Amino acid sequence: MNLQDKTVVVTGVSSGIGAETARQLRAQGARVIGVDRNEPAISVEAFVQADLSSAEAIDAMVAQLPERIDALCNIAGVPGTAEAQLVARVNYLGLRHLVQRLTARLSPGGAIVNVASILGAEWPQRLEQHKALSQAASFAEGAAWLAQHPVAQEHCYQYFKEALIVWSMTQAQPMFLQHSVRMNCVAPGPVFTPILGDFVTMLGQERVQKDAHRMKRPAYADEIAAAIVWLCGDDSRWINGVNLPVDGGLASTYL
């Protein structure tokens, strides 16, 4: 893997998967620019404090980033216990907006990695809805579409992880053809991070207990980060438009 001297932007850098991704990238020689609402606990090349829930805040953050970067890791997110509109704005609309603003700055051969979830695996059941939403070109247009097609609170986290997977798949090949930039998703199952408790609450104790026998254990953040870092590097240069499960095989137990 060759990440020496590459510049990588990592959102959600202050904790969990984001912090571990930054650590592994730095160990590979990359320059990491961290983005988060909170100051990171690890050293990075630069840090930009930002709230990713609005287009205006994202634009202000982007103005502080270098003119040329080599990879973008979209790891920041809020759990499904947050209000549904906030989940939509951070986990989907804001992520899309950031990708749109940074695509032209990515070097040829660069990479974008979006963190989805095992809970997004049912995207084929709502494919036409997600494709319709993906055609809303801007943050504002996406918000307007969602105002007309509201998402229930109890399903919002799953819904927007599904939507993220579909949007990433539909955009990956045009981006690769036009900019020589790859875009992929990774889909973790439960992970030992600060929001694991929210994840369990979101699923409900009944489902957690029902599915406990299917899972060896939650993942550690470094196990998810390793896949993200690999997708940023030259070794994965012909991997594009995929949603990579990083869940210890958990998804396969539902077949």
Side-chain angles (χ1 to χ4, degrees):
M1 185 182 303
N2 181 16
L3 289 166
Q4 188 69 39
D5 295 326
K6 292 187 182 293
T7 300
V8 184
V9 174
V10 178
T11 72
V13 75
S14 70
S15 64
I17 297 169
E20 184 58 31
T21 298
R23 187 192 68 78
Q24 292 188 25
L25 286 165
R26 292 184 70 247
Q28 295 287 341
R31 294 183 294 269
V32 175
I33 300 175
V35 176
D36 207 305
R37 291 182 303 173
N38 304 308
E39 292 275 349
I42 63 171
S43 60
V44 291
E45 183 79 11
F47 172 70
V48 181
Q49 192 166 32
D51 181 344
L52 301 178
S53 64
S54 76
E56 295 76 17
I58 292 168
D59 290 343
M61 180 269 288
V62 167
Q64 301 178 63
L65 298 178
E67 286 302 312
R68 183 59 65 186
I69 63 176
D70 298 291
L72 168 64
C73 301
N74 285 309
I75 303 172
V78 296
T81 51
E83 193 269 328
Q85 187 178 58
L86 181 62
V87 176
R89 295 173 75 87
V90 175
N91 293 9
Y92 182 73
L93 295 174
L95 186 154
R96 284 193 346 172
H97 188 75
L98 179 57
V99 169
Q100 291 165 347
R101 289 293 181 267
L102 288 183
T103 297
R105 298 194 191 186
L106 280 155
S107 303
I112 299 168
V113 185
N114 302 324
V115 173
S117 171
I118 187 177
L119 294 180
E122 295 180 353
W123 60 265
Q125 298 180 21
R126 283 166 284 277
L127 178 58
E128 294 309 313
Q129 293 179 44
H130 295 318
K131 287 174 68 175
L133 176 55
S134 74
Q135 292 168 7
S138 68
F139 191 111
E141 290 176 20
W145 190 94
L146 288 168
Q148 296 176 2
H149 305 82
V151 178
Q153 177 68 48
E154 59 266 31
H155 306 303
C156 66
Y157 187 85
Q158 175 176 337
Y159 187 93
F160 290 113
K161 290 301 184 181
E162 292 175 3
L164 173 60
I165 292 167
V166 172
W167 178 79
S168 299
M169 288 178 172
T170 61
Q171 299 301 310
Q173 193 64 6
M175 184 180 296
F176 192 49
L177 293 173
Q178 296 168 23
H179 301 282
S180 296
V181 171
R182 299 173 294 111
M183 181 159 64
N184 296 290
C185 293
V186 297
V191 185
F192 286 119
T193 68
I195 67 168
L196 179 59
D198 295 277
F199 191 85
V200 171
T201 299
M202 178 178 58
L203 292 179
Q205 285 295 335
E206 181 178 348
R207 180 173 174 181
V208 170
Q209 292 172 4
K210 178 182 177 182
D211 293 347
H213 71 284
R214 303 177 188 270
M215 184 173 63
K216 186 179 181 68
R217 58 165 172 77
Y220 294 106
D222 65 315
E223 294 168 327
I224 311 303
I228 297 170
V229 172
W230 177 70
L231 286 170
C232 287
D234 296 337
D235 290 350
S236 61
R237 62 186 174 274
W238 214 241
I239 308 297
N240 183 46
V242 305
N243 178 46
L244 177 65
V246 189
D247 60 6
L250 181 57
S252 66
T253 66
Y254 291 91
L255 296 176

